[in-house]
Short mmCIF file of all heavy atoms in Angstrom, two decimals:
data_model
loop_
_atom_site.label_atom_id
_atom_site.label_comp_id
_atom_site.label_asym_id
_atom_site.label_seq_id
_atom_site.Cartn_x
_atom_site.Cartn_y
_atom_site.Cartn_z
N GLU A 1 -14.46 -12.75 -7.45
CA GLU A 1 -15.68 -13.41 -7.90
C GLU A 1 -16.03 -14.60 -7.01
O GLU A 1 -17.21 -14.78 -6.69
CB GLU A 1 -15.53 -13.85 -9.35
CG GLU A 1 -16.81 -14.47 -9.98
CD GLU A 1 -16.61 -14.93 -11.40
OE1 GLU A 1 -15.55 -14.64 -12.00
OE2 GLU A 1 -17.52 -15.54 -11.92
N ILE A 2 -15.06 -15.42 -6.70
CA ILE A 2 -15.28 -16.56 -5.82
C ILE A 2 -15.79 -16.16 -4.45
O ILE A 2 -16.74 -16.72 -3.91
CB ILE A 2 -13.97 -17.42 -5.66
CG1 ILE A 2 -13.61 -18.10 -7.00
CG2 ILE A 2 -14.12 -18.44 -4.59
CD1 ILE A 2 -12.27 -18.76 -7.08
N ILE A 3 -15.12 -15.12 -3.87
CA ILE A 3 -15.50 -14.68 -2.54
C ILE A 3 -16.87 -14.09 -2.54
O ILE A 3 -17.68 -14.37 -1.64
CB ILE A 3 -14.46 -13.66 -2.01
CG1 ILE A 3 -13.13 -14.35 -1.80
CG2 ILE A 3 -14.96 -13.02 -0.72
CD1 ILE A 3 -11.93 -13.47 -1.55
N ARG A 4 -17.20 -13.25 -3.53
CA ARG A 4 -18.49 -12.64 -3.56
C ARG A 4 -19.61 -13.68 -3.83
O ARG A 4 -20.73 -13.57 -3.22
CB ARG A 4 -18.55 -11.59 -4.74
CG ARG A 4 -17.58 -10.45 -4.60
CD ARG A 4 -17.83 -9.54 -3.42
NE ARG A 4 -16.95 -8.39 -3.47
CZ ARG A 4 -16.53 -7.69 -2.39
NH1 ARG A 4 -16.90 -8.09 -1.21
NH2 ARG A 4 -15.75 -6.63 -2.56
N LYS A 5 -19.36 -14.64 -4.64
CA LYS A 5 -20.38 -15.56 -5.05
C LYS A 5 -20.58 -16.69 -4.02
O LYS A 5 -21.74 -17.07 -3.77
CB LYS A 5 -20.05 -16.21 -6.40
CG LYS A 5 -21.10 -17.20 -6.98
CD LYS A 5 -20.77 -17.69 -8.35
CE LYS A 5 -21.79 -18.64 -8.86
NZ LYS A 5 -21.47 -19.15 -10.23
N TYR A 6 -19.48 -17.18 -3.44
CA TYR A 6 -19.61 -18.38 -2.59
C TYR A 6 -19.41 -18.10 -1.08
O TYR A 6 -19.77 -18.97 -0.24
CB TYR A 6 -18.58 -19.42 -3.03
CG TYR A 6 -18.91 -19.92 -4.45
CD1 TYR A 6 -18.13 -19.58 -5.50
CD2 TYR A 6 -20.00 -20.81 -4.65
CE1 TYR A 6 -18.39 -20.03 -6.79
CE2 TYR A 6 -20.26 -21.33 -5.96
CZ TYR A 6 -19.45 -20.91 -7.00
OH TYR A 6 -19.76 -21.36 -8.22
N ASN A 7 -18.83 -16.97 -0.73
CA ASN A 7 -18.69 -16.64 0.70
C ASN A 7 -17.98 -17.75 1.48
O ASN A 7 -18.36 -18.14 2.54
CB ASN A 7 -20.04 -16.34 1.30
CG ASN A 7 -19.95 -15.74 2.71
OD1 ASN A 7 -19.14 -14.82 2.95
ND2 ASN A 7 -20.78 -16.22 3.62
N PRO A 8 -16.78 -18.25 0.96
CA PRO A 8 -16.16 -19.39 1.68
C PRO A 8 -15.67 -18.98 3.05
O PRO A 8 -15.32 -17.83 3.35
CB PRO A 8 -14.98 -19.72 0.75
CG PRO A 8 -14.68 -18.43 0.04
CD PRO A 8 -15.97 -17.75 -0.12
N GLY A 9 -15.56 -20.03 3.93
CA GLY A 9 -15.11 -19.75 5.31
C GLY A 9 -13.60 -19.80 5.46
O GLY A 9 -13.09 -19.27 6.41
N GLY A 10 -12.90 -20.34 4.46
CA GLY A 10 -11.43 -20.40 4.55
C GLY A 10 -10.80 -20.71 3.25
O GLY A 10 -11.48 -21.06 2.22
N MET A 11 -9.53 -20.55 3.13
CA MET A 11 -8.69 -20.88 2.00
C MET A 11 -7.34 -21.38 2.48
O MET A 11 -6.86 -21.05 3.53
CB MET A 11 -8.50 -19.71 1.08
CG MET A 11 -9.64 -19.48 0.11
SD MET A 11 -9.12 -18.37 -1.23
CE MET A 11 -10.70 -18.20 -2.11
N MET A 12 -6.78 -22.19 1.60
CA MET A 12 -5.41 -22.68 1.85
C MET A 12 -4.58 -22.65 0.52
O MET A 12 -4.94 -23.23 -0.43
CB MET A 12 -5.45 -24.14 2.34
CG MET A 12 -4.02 -24.70 2.51
SD MET A 12 -4.06 -26.49 2.89
CE MET A 12 -2.34 -26.91 2.58
N TYR A 13 -3.48 -21.89 0.63
CA TYR A 13 -2.53 -21.84 -0.49
C TYR A 13 -1.35 -22.72 -0.23
O TYR A 13 -0.97 -22.99 0.95
CB TYR A 13 -2.11 -20.41 -0.73
CG TYR A 13 -3.04 -19.64 -1.63
CD1 TYR A 13 -4.27 -19.09 -1.18
CD2 TYR A 13 -2.79 -19.48 -2.98
CE1 TYR A 13 -5.12 -18.45 -1.96
CE2 TYR A 13 -3.64 -18.79 -3.82
CZ TYR A 13 -4.82 -18.30 -3.33
OH TYR A 13 -5.71 -17.64 -4.15
N ARG A 14 -0.75 -23.20 -1.27
CA ARG A 14 0.49 -23.91 -1.18
C ARG A 14 1.64 -22.96 -1.14
O ARG A 14 1.50 -21.78 -1.40
CB ARG A 14 0.67 -24.86 -2.37
CG ARG A 14 -0.44 -25.91 -2.53
CD ARG A 14 -0.47 -26.86 -1.38
NE ARG A 14 -1.57 -27.89 -1.54
CZ ARG A 14 -1.81 -28.86 -0.71
NH1 ARG A 14 -1.08 -29.01 0.39
NH2 ARG A 14 -2.80 -29.69 -0.94
N PRO A 15 2.90 -23.36 -0.69
CA PRO A 15 3.97 -22.45 -0.50
C PRO A 15 4.31 -21.73 -1.81
O PRO A 15 4.27 -22.29 -2.91
CB PRO A 15 5.13 -23.35 -0.11
CG PRO A 15 4.48 -24.57 0.54
CD PRO A 15 3.19 -24.74 -0.18
N SER A 16 4.63 -20.48 -1.65
CA SER A 16 5.08 -19.59 -2.74
C SER A 16 5.94 -18.52 -2.18
O SER A 16 6.25 -18.49 -1.00
CB SER A 16 3.87 -19.06 -3.47
OG SER A 16 4.30 -18.28 -4.65
N GLU A 17 6.35 -17.53 -3.04
CA GLU A 17 7.13 -16.44 -2.55
C GLU A 17 6.29 -15.70 -1.45
O GLU A 17 5.10 -15.43 -1.63
CB GLU A 17 7.48 -15.50 -3.65
CG GLU A 17 8.40 -16.08 -4.71
CD GLU A 17 7.76 -17.00 -5.68
OE1 GLU A 17 6.51 -17.04 -5.67
OE2 GLU A 17 8.47 -17.68 -6.40
N SER A 18 6.96 -15.33 -0.32
CA SER A 18 6.23 -14.90 0.77
C SER A 18 5.51 -13.53 0.48
O SER A 18 4.38 -13.34 0.92
CB SER A 18 7.20 -14.65 1.97
OG SER A 18 8.23 -13.72 1.63
N GLU A 19 6.14 -12.63 -0.27
CA GLU A 19 5.41 -11.41 -0.61
C GLU A 19 4.23 -11.65 -1.46
O GLU A 19 3.18 -10.97 -1.30
CB GLU A 19 6.39 -10.43 -1.30
CG GLU A 19 7.40 -9.81 -0.40
CD GLU A 19 8.11 -8.58 -1.00
OE1 GLU A 19 7.54 -7.99 -1.92
OE2 GLU A 19 9.13 -8.18 -0.49
N LYS A 20 4.30 -12.61 -2.32
CA LYS A 20 3.17 -12.94 -3.19
C LYS A 20 2.04 -13.52 -2.32
O LYS A 20 0.82 -13.10 -2.48
CB LYS A 20 3.54 -13.97 -4.28
CG LYS A 20 2.43 -14.41 -5.12
CD LYS A 20 2.96 -15.43 -6.18
CE LYS A 20 1.77 -15.88 -7.08
NZ LYS A 20 2.23 -16.82 -8.14
N ILE A 21 2.30 -14.44 -1.43
CA ILE A 21 1.31 -15.00 -0.59
C ILE A 21 0.69 -13.93 0.34
O ILE A 21 -0.49 -13.89 0.57
CB ILE A 21 1.90 -16.13 0.29
CG1 ILE A 21 2.21 -17.37 -0.62
CG2 ILE A 21 0.96 -16.57 1.40
CD1 ILE A 21 0.96 -18.07 -1.12
N TYR A 22 1.56 -13.06 0.87
CA TYR A 22 1.08 -12.00 1.69
C TYR A 22 0.07 -11.11 0.98
O TYR A 22 -1.00 -10.79 1.51
CB TYR A 22 2.30 -11.12 2.18
CG TYR A 22 1.90 -9.95 2.98
CD1 TYR A 22 1.95 -10.02 4.39
CD2 TYR A 22 1.49 -8.71 2.41
CE1 TYR A 22 1.60 -8.90 5.15
CE2 TYR A 22 1.14 -7.61 3.20
CZ TYR A 22 1.21 -7.72 4.57
OH TYR A 22 0.87 -6.65 5.35
N GLY A 23 0.38 -10.75 -0.30
CA GLY A 23 -0.52 -9.99 -1.08
C GLY A 23 -1.82 -10.65 -1.35
O GLY A 23 -2.93 -10.01 -1.29
N ILE A 24 -1.78 -11.97 -1.57
CA ILE A 24 -3.01 -12.74 -1.85
C ILE A 24 -3.85 -12.77 -0.55
O ILE A 24 -5.08 -12.53 -0.62
CB ILE A 24 -2.71 -14.14 -2.37
CG1 ILE A 24 -2.10 -14.07 -3.75
CG2 ILE A 24 -3.95 -15.03 -2.37
CD1 ILE A 24 -1.54 -15.43 -4.22
N HIS A 25 -3.24 -13.10 0.55
CA HIS A 25 -3.94 -13.18 1.80
C HIS A 25 -4.59 -11.83 2.16
O HIS A 25 -5.71 -11.76 2.65
CB HIS A 25 -3.02 -13.64 2.94
CG HIS A 25 -2.73 -15.08 2.89
ND1 HIS A 25 -1.74 -15.69 3.67
CD2 HIS A 25 -3.31 -16.11 2.22
CE1 HIS A 25 -1.73 -16.94 3.48
NE2 HIS A 25 -2.66 -17.25 2.56
N LYS A 26 -3.85 -10.74 1.97
CA LYS A 26 -4.38 -9.42 2.24
C LYS A 26 -5.61 -9.12 1.37
O LYS A 26 -6.63 -8.64 1.90
CB LYS A 26 -3.29 -8.34 1.98
CG LYS A 26 -3.75 -6.97 2.45
CD LYS A 26 -2.64 -5.91 2.34
CE LYS A 26 -3.05 -4.63 2.99
NZ LYS A 26 -4.35 -4.07 2.53
N PHE A 27 -5.54 -9.41 0.12
CA PHE A 27 -6.70 -9.19 -0.76
C PHE A 27 -7.89 -10.02 -0.30
O PHE A 27 -9.00 -9.52 -0.26
CB PHE A 27 -6.40 -9.53 -2.21
CG PHE A 27 -7.51 -9.38 -3.13
CD1 PHE A 27 -7.76 -8.08 -3.64
CD2 PHE A 27 -8.34 -10.43 -3.53
CE1 PHE A 27 -8.84 -7.83 -4.54
CE2 PHE A 27 -9.36 -10.23 -4.37
CZ PHE A 27 -9.66 -8.95 -4.86
N ILE A 28 -7.65 -11.27 0.06
CA ILE A 28 -8.72 -12.15 0.53
C ILE A 28 -9.41 -11.58 1.77
O ILE A 28 -10.66 -11.45 1.80
CB ILE A 28 -8.22 -13.52 0.81
CG1 ILE A 28 -7.84 -14.30 -0.47
CG2 ILE A 28 -9.22 -14.34 1.63
CD1 ILE A 28 -7.11 -15.60 -0.26
N GLN A 29 -8.60 -11.17 2.72
CA GLN A 29 -9.19 -10.60 3.96
C GLN A 29 -9.84 -9.31 3.72
O GLN A 29 -10.90 -8.98 4.35
CB GLN A 29 -8.09 -10.51 5.04
CG GLN A 29 -7.54 -11.86 5.52
CD GLN A 29 -8.48 -12.73 6.26
OE1 GLN A 29 -9.68 -12.72 6.05
NE2 GLN A 29 -7.97 -13.49 7.20
N ASP A 30 -9.33 -8.43 2.84
CA ASP A 30 -9.95 -7.14 2.59
C ASP A 30 -11.28 -7.34 1.82
O ASP A 30 -12.19 -6.51 1.99
CB ASP A 30 -9.02 -6.31 1.68
CG ASP A 30 -7.81 -5.76 2.46
OD1 ASP A 30 -7.83 -5.81 3.69
OD2 ASP A 30 -6.83 -5.28 1.80
N THR A 31 -11.33 -8.39 1.02
CA THR A 31 -12.54 -8.55 0.16
C THR A 31 -13.69 -9.30 0.87
O THR A 31 -14.84 -9.03 0.63
CB THR A 31 -12.15 -9.39 -1.10
OG1 THR A 31 -11.08 -8.70 -1.79
CG2 THR A 31 -13.32 -9.51 -2.11
N SER A 32 -13.32 -10.26 1.76
CA SER A 32 -14.34 -11.04 2.42
C SER A 32 -15.01 -10.24 3.56
O SER A 32 -14.33 -9.65 4.41
CB SER A 32 -13.66 -12.32 3.02
OG SER A 32 -14.63 -13.11 3.66
N ALA A 33 -16.37 -10.28 3.55
CA ALA A 33 -17.09 -9.60 4.64
C ALA A 33 -16.85 -10.22 6.00
O ALA A 33 -16.74 -9.53 7.00
CB ALA A 33 -18.60 -9.60 4.31
#
């Protein structure tokens, strides 16, 4: 919803489990035009 509505240029996450961060980053890149 955030990506579709606001079209942000970037994001920054704080440290977390690497697989979890990887999954979030993949979703972000797959979703953002």
Side-chain angles (χ1 to χ4, degrees):
E1 183 179 354
I2 290 171
I3 293 168
R4 301 294 188 208
K5 183 175 181 179
Y6 295 105
N7 192 44
M11 274 196 186
M12 175 188 165
Y13 274 79
R14 301 295 181 179
S16 186
E17 294 78 12
S18 58
E19 286 199 17
K20 178 180 179 180
I21 290 290
Y22 179 95
I24 292 171
H25 283 168
K26 187 176 189 307
F27 180 82
I28 288 170
Q29 296 292 32
D30 288 346
T31 306
S32 180

